[in-house]
Amino acid sequence: MTMLNPTRRGFLMGGAALMGTTWLMNSTALAAVDPNSFAGRVFSASHYGPFEAVVRDGKIVGISAMTELDQRPTEMLMYGMLDRVYDKSRIDYPMVRKSYLENWKSGDVKPELRGREEYVRVDWDTALKLTAKAITDTIVEHGNQAILSTSYGGWSHAGIMRPNVLQGKFFNMIGGCTNTVGDWSGGASQISLPHVIGDMEVYSAQTAWEVIRDNTEVFVLVGCDPVKNNRVEYTVADHGMYTPWEQIRDAGCKFVSINPQRTASDAVLDAEWIRIVPNTDVALFLGMAHHVLEQGLDDKEYLAKYTTGADKWIAYVKGEGEDGTPKTPEWAAAITGIDAAKIRELAELLAKSRTEIAGAWSLQRAHHGEMTHWAIVNFAALTGKIGKPGEGVGFSWHYGSGGMPQSGQATPAGLSQGKNFVTEYIVPASRLTDALENPGAEVVYNGNVRKYPDVHMIYNAGNNFMSHQQDTNRLIKALQKVRTIVSQDVWWTAATRWADIVLPASSPLERDDISVGGTYSNDRIYAMKKVIEPIGESRSDFDIFAALSDLFYRESQFIEDAAYPEYMDILKKAYDGTGAAKTTPFEEFWERGYAFQPAPPEARSWVRHGDFYTDPEANPLHTRSGKIEMFCETIAEMKLDDCPGMPMWLEPAEYLGNARDGQLHVVSPHPWHRLHSQMDQSATLRELYKVQGREPVRINTEDAAARGIADGDLVEIYNDRGSVIAGAVVSDEIMPGVISIYEGCWPSLDSKGRCNSGLVNFLTSTQRSSGLSQATTANTCLASVRKCEDPEGPNMAYEKPPIIEGMEIAAIDDDELGLDRLDEVIESIYAEMGPGEQMYYERCTVCHGPRDVAAFTQLQWKAITPSMFPRAGLDDAEAAMVMEFLMANASDAVK
């Protein structure tokens, strides 16, 4: 076989060949093909893929895609990366809000002026000292828990030196602070599914794609859009699943898409589109389950061997439960908008075929969101699918190139964050507003009772929480009770515009770091090389927290100069713990920019839950029963009104079934040209999709005509919570009654209080998913739409706020800070830690989960650690020590 005349087998193996190393060139190879190419190139990597930056006279003049590593580079990489580095939205130097600067001594800092008042340019000494004083005052007067970190997620860039990690290290040196727990991505299912199927699932690897290609007859996408969402990644995107998806399609697999709108994946995969009323997926799977039972298509032997609680759920489906309502296809049709005959047809197709069901994370961002993925699990179990080659369920096909073979190798580990001594208080990530409004109130999270803190200070590093939180108007009002908000960021995002002290961080291209390629494949280690010097007076997050530590006489502890004399030593230590280091020395890796740790051959035939299916006694699930819990006693025993012990149809607070006249259901998927709010300031990208400078909103042709709206018109979307202005995209590829507007744009308020940019969270609700997870319900939202007749000028979201320069500022005397007041507080809270505890805090990270050991049960920790321990690079003895610590301190451990 040659590259000019490939065999069919060679074509089908193409995606796998990409994982090899023998044909790959050096990092400058493509440039070197042209002998006249400019040689000033620096390798680096990002959420959007690996690349080379072309640098002339200290400035980036171009981005070159590394097509030998990433064959599907996106516009975000090619245009957005360069745009945002030099965008006018950069924070050039430290800032303090005018009233805060003038009144920091008296305390009359006028928080009600946030978002409206001008900023004053200050020097780093002033900004850092005011920050240190606010930290000291808060801890001494109110306790460590009164400082809230909103730096959740760590999505600011792809490296190990993420600001949330460095912030955690800094605050934990002085006793800690209140952290957020959970996230938006999979907040409901990350808590419910470990009880049901023994794993978070939403952050887990999927069956190897070749197994799907060779076995799967029907692939069901339930709200799932891998073609769009795999464009970005938490680590470094390599877009490895695009060719395999096409090969699965070409191998004859039938794709079915259940979604209120037709997606990019539907077009690429030639999927049959089945329109469904948003938030009604549970009803659909119940209706299909009823037909399966009626036709005798249920797999009774599978249910007996691999599940528990099936009888209770089946009784509910048949109408033998308390509600007495059979969940027939006709019953489901009235709720979902799908014809009963189609529900029967779909049920039989899925039951009789080798079927894989992919559920999107968006499904569980809804009221009672825990029910949706659970209903899919129960239907797949009812029909005997889970664990068989090419069959079953997967809830991360749309993220991280789910389906790529796994290397199983350790990835780079960052600095230890140490122990956070604040464990009694938490704030679930999407419940910030509720916490601010109800200080001291009890909150139940995963069955554990904690409290909301009385927040007096917020520290936000590398996170645009003001764009992420729901019901933004309510949040702005709630923030007025917080005395100090510090925001540390590269750009003037919403989170910095509502801050008191603004610390300018350098961009990811202005510091060295290290990352991994593929969230699940973990088959490449990438150097994130410093490309240019920091712009303006910006500093790296590491340098900022080191400087703050120095004010508290703890810089050496933060920098760990005894262990790591140079910053590069930290990166080298991180690399040395990876699988790649076994074959490629650090110096060679850093020079080239990447190194490989390929997946072993057996990874290509891996099946999710396959070991459990093959031998459930030898490989039980990490659930109470060791089986799939179609009815879960653990959840039932919590006696939660809004989360029963099995997946049931519970009417959402807002959906088309209870909408007022004229209201439409608002869904807010991940954007195509952004990573949440990242890249929104890119002028080049905005030209590709914005409508009259505003966020586009997709609306059905019938709904638009009824409201006198034409394609390209500005529209006002409004409800009792707020109002936004967006640009209409009229389409027949979204069902009537539903509008779709991407989440994450930067807000800008006009004189009437409307978001003139189109941030959907001015419309969404802070309603919790349930008392189990306290997760977001962003996709449970109704609003009205009308043509906007009175827009106020252009969208100003990307302009700098008013800034006062040249103001004379008196130097701050150290004696005015009283930072030594913390010494006694810190000494009183520190205690000796055992070896397992120390290793956990130094080496382990819980993907998207809290670092509070008591936040999970023993079984949940057993479900989490199989993926956590390899990433941390623990050997068997180390893993045993950490597991002993976890088992002794889990929420259900005998104390």
Side-chain angles (χ1 to χ4, degrees), residues 126-138:
T126 298
L128 290 171
K129 284 182 176 178
L130 289 178
T131 300
K133 184 178 189 304
I135 291 170
T136 303
D137 289 346
T138 305

Side-chain angles (χ1 to χ4, degrees), residues 468-487:
H468 301 171
Q469 292 283 336
Q470 282 69 61
D471 199 345
T472 311
N473 279 319
R474 188 173 154 205
L475 172 62
I476 292 171
K477 184 177 180 180
L479 285 172
Q480 292 181 14
K481 67 146 289 184
V482 181
R483 185 183 187 278
T484 304
I485 300 178
V486 177
S487 196

Side-chain angles (χ1 to χ4, degrees), residues 27 42-46 49-53 66 69 157-160 236 412 508-509 511-517 524-531 568 571-572 575 580 585-596:
S27 64
V42 182
F43 182 94
S44 197
S46 70
F51 63 94
E52 284 183 329
M66 298 293 294
L69 297 171
H157 63 87
I160 63 171
V236 178
L509 302 187
R511 79 279 290 271
D512 289 318
D513 211 328
I514 187 173
S515 188
V516 62
R524 306 172 192 187
I525 308 300
Y526 284 116
M528 295 176 63
K529 294 185 183 181
K530 180 179 180 180
V531 177
M568 189 58 70
L571 305 187
K572 186 177 187 301
Y575 177 78
F586 177 80
E587 291 72 20
E588 180 182 337
F589 152 73
W590 193 258
E591 173 66 24
R592 186 170 62 176
Y594 55 87
F596 294 94

Side-chain angles (χ1 to χ4, degrees), residues 504-794:
S506 58
S507 81
L509 302 187
E510 297 154 32
R511 79 279 290 271
D512 289 318
D513 211 328
I514 187 173
S515 188
V516 62
T519 297
Y520 301 131
S521 60
N522 291 330
D523 60 354
R524 306 172 192 187
I525 308 300
Y526 284 116
M528 295 176 63
K529 294 185 183 181
K530 180 179 180 180
V531 177
I532 56 173
E533 292 300 316
I535 290 177
E537 295 181 10
S538 64
R539 299 181 180 181
S540 73
D541 295 291
F542 184 89
D543 288 340
I544 293 171
F545 285 115
L548 277 174
S549 301
D550 192 35
L551 289 174
F552 292 104
Y553 307 102
R554 292 174 177 271
E555 184 183 35
S556 60
Q557 184 180 347
F558 182 86
I559 294 178
E560 299 184 6
D561 50 6
Y564 310 110
E566 302 292 339
Y567 177 88
M568 189 58 70
D569 293 328
I570 303 173
L571 305 187
K572 186 177 187 301
K573 175 68 161 55
Y575 177 78
D576 287 345
T578 70
K582 300 172 185 175
T583 57
T584 306
F586 177 80
E587 291 72 20
E588 180 182 337
F589 152 73
W590 193 258
E591 173 66 24
R592 186 170 62 176
Y594 55 87
F596 294 94
Q597 43 186 44
E602 58 269 22
R604 309 173 75 82
S605 57
W606 186 79
V607 176
R608 178 137 204 88
H609 307 299
D611 290 343
F612 167 67
Y613 175 72
T614 301
D615 191 341
E617 292 188 4
N619 303 289
L621 300 177
H622 295 297
T623 60
R624 181 191 287 189
S625 64
K627 298 181 178 183
I628 300 166
E629 305 221 346
M630 298 175 71
F631 180 94
C632 179
E633 295 286 356
T634 302
I635 294 177
E637 288 169 359
M638 295 182 191
K639 300 186 184 304
L640 300 168
D641 293 338
D642 50 6
C643 188
M646 61 183 174
M648 302 170 67
W649 166 247
L650 303 173
E651 186 177 44
E654 299 179 32
Y655 82 120
L656 292 180
N658 55 29
R660 298 195 299 268
D661 185 45
Q663 283 189 316
L664 305 175
H665 195 114
V666 184
V667 295
S668 47
H670 188 280
W672 181 269
H673 289 293
R674 296 195 302 266
L675 196 172
H676 301 309
S677 66
Q678 294 181 47
M679 298 286 185
D680 196 37
Q681 78 272 50
S682 167
T684 304
L685 295 182
R686 293 202 306 272
E687 287 295 321
L688 299 178
Y689 69 100
K690 297 281 186 175
V691 179
Q692 296 192 45
R694 279 81 170 183
E695 197 67 10
V697 58
R698 202 180 197 188
I699 183 170
N700 179 268
T701 304
E702 296 175 16
D703 292 329
R707 294 161 176 79
I709 295 169
D711 191 73
D713 282 347
L714 290 183
V715 300
E716 187 173 349
I717 313 168
Y718 60 97
N719 59 20
D720 295 339
R721 292 180 287 269
S723 178
V724 307
I725 297 173
V729 177
V730 179
S731 172
D732 289 322
E733 295 192 339
I734 187 168
M735 66 182 291
V738 180
I739 59 174
S740 177
I741 182 169
Y742 290 138
E743 52 87 10
C745 81
W746 292 13
S748 176
L749 297 181
D750 67 12
S751 65
K752 297 181 180 180
R754 303 174 299 185
C755 180
N756 196 28
S757 186
L759 176 60
V760 71
N761 278 332
F762 279 92
L763 305 170
T764 55
S765 164
T766 57
Q767 167 73 51
R768 69 184 186 183
S769 178
S770 81
L772 177 67
S773 68
Q774 303 287 340
T776 182
T777 61
N779 281 322
T780 299
C781 179
L782 294 172
S784 300
V785 182
R786 62 190 171 212
K787 184 174 179 178
C788 182
E789 304 287 359
D790 60 342
E792 294 185 5

Side-chain angles (χ1 to χ4, degrees), residues 135 138-139 143-152 167 171 176-181 420 422 425-429 431-436 451-461 465 469 475 479 482 484-487:
I135 291 170
T138 305
I139 292 175
N144 284 72
Q145 74 280 356
I147 300 176
L148 173 64
S149 168
T150 55
S151 309
Y152 45 72
Q167 179 186 333
F171 274 106
C177 62
T178 299
N179 285 327
T180 57
V181 294
N420 183 3
V422 176
Y425 298 87
I426 63 168
V427 176
R431 305 291 286 157
L432 173 57
T433 302
D434 191 59
L436 293 175
K451 292 180 181 178
Y452 284 146
D454 186 4
V455 178
H456 289 262
M457 180 179 185
I458 289 176
Y459 202 109
N460 183 74
F465 76 97
Q469 292 283 336
L475 172 62
L479 285 172
V482 181
T484 304
I485 300 178
V486 177
S487 196

Side-chain angles (χ1 to χ4, degrees), residues 347-385:
E348 293 192 23
L349 174 68
L350 271 54
K352 294 177 180 178
S353 305
R354 293 194 297 273
T355 301
E356 174 77 13
I357 305 175
W361 296 348
S362 61
L363 303 176
Q364 48 88 67
R365 298 188 196 112
H367 195 199
H368 313 300
E370 295 84 357
M371 299 290 101
T372 311
H373 285 170
W374 196 353
I376 294 172
V377 169
N378 276 19
F379 179 83
L382 181 71
T383 52
K385 306 294 184 186

